[in-house]
Amino acid sequence: MKVLIAFYSRSGVTRSAAELLSAELRSRDVEAEVEEIIDTKDRSGITGWLGGGKDATLKRATEIQPVKADLAAFDLVAIGTPVWAWTAAPAAREFARQHGASCKKVAFFCTMGGSGDKGTFKALTELCAKNPATTLALIDRAVKEKDEEKYLAPIRAFADRIAAGA
């Protein structure tokens, strides 16, 4: 099985989850590649944070850099995003809108302060025009602290489901 982990991360939390997922999949003999979704809009600092939240709330499109990976070469694409305003970040939404329907299978994972995973997964499902094979929601604090029960074990279980063909 060949998996692409495509993620957007403003603060590095979702990046940490994507990197651990990649390592866990490789330890299960799954060929895993990671590609960061790059928003061309500057989301740094407080202005970027506020603008990102507003764009997420209003479901505004954003421009992303072209994807380097050949998506047709992957059996599954795992899309990772932080939760902004109870939905996916604009860059992840744009990736799903542009590429989701052409993916063979998708899985979703998100990082969040405390809630918003249901709205995020619903939005990504609609944008991809297909149901995810599996999903995973992680709390930012658990990721930052590398909490065994709330971060490491759920990532391992997510990797198990993907490796099993989700």
Side-chain angles (χ1 to χ4, degrees):
M1 172 178 255
K2 190 171 180 181
V3 174
L4 175 67
I5 303 162
F7 74 94
Y8 172 76
S9 185
R10 178 184 174 276
S11 66
V13 175
T14 309
R15 173 181 289 107
S16 294
E19 290 169 351
L20 179 58
L21 176 59
S22 173
E24 289 295 326
L25 287 169
R26 289 181 184 135
S27 75
R28 289 157 180 76
D29 295 322
V30 173
E31 189 178 340
E33 291 183 28
V34 178
E35 177 153 346
E36 185 170 4
I37 302 165
I38 306 292
D39 192 336
T40 61
K41 192 170 191 176
D42 183 8
R43 303 281 184 190
S44 62
I46 190 70
T47 305
W49 180 78
L50 289 170
K54 183 177 180 182
D55 288 351
T57 300
L58 298 174
K59 313 255 187 305
R60 287 186 180 149
T62 193
E63 188 175 324
I64 59 174
Q65 289 183 2
V67 175
K68 296 174 187 164
D70 174 12
L71 297 176
F74 295 91
D75 300 303
L76 181 141
V77 177
I79 302 171
T81 182
V83 173
W84 289 2
W86 299 278
T87 193
R93 291 176 57 83
E94 187 60 23
F95 178 90
R97 188 190 68 73
Q98 287 182 22
H99 306 291
S102 65
C103 296
K104 294 172 190 165
K105 282 184 172 180
V106 293
F108 307 141
F109 65 99
C110 68
T111 58
M112 59 191 176
S115 64
D117 54 322
K118 288 182 176 88
T120 297
F121 296 150
K122 181 178 185 236
L124 291 174
T125 298
E126 290 169 1
L127 291 162
C128 290
K130 64 176 54 97
N131 290 322
T134 186
T135 62
L136 173 66
L138 298 164
I139 302 297
D140 292 351
R141 184 174 174 180
V143 175
K144 291 175 186 173
E145 294 174 356
K146 300 198 183 321
D147 183 281
E148 176 63 39
E149 180 184 339
K150 295 178 182 170
Y151 171 53
L152 300 174
I155 284 270
R156 290 178 187 128
F158 187 59
D160 286 342
R161 292 190 303 273
I162 291 172

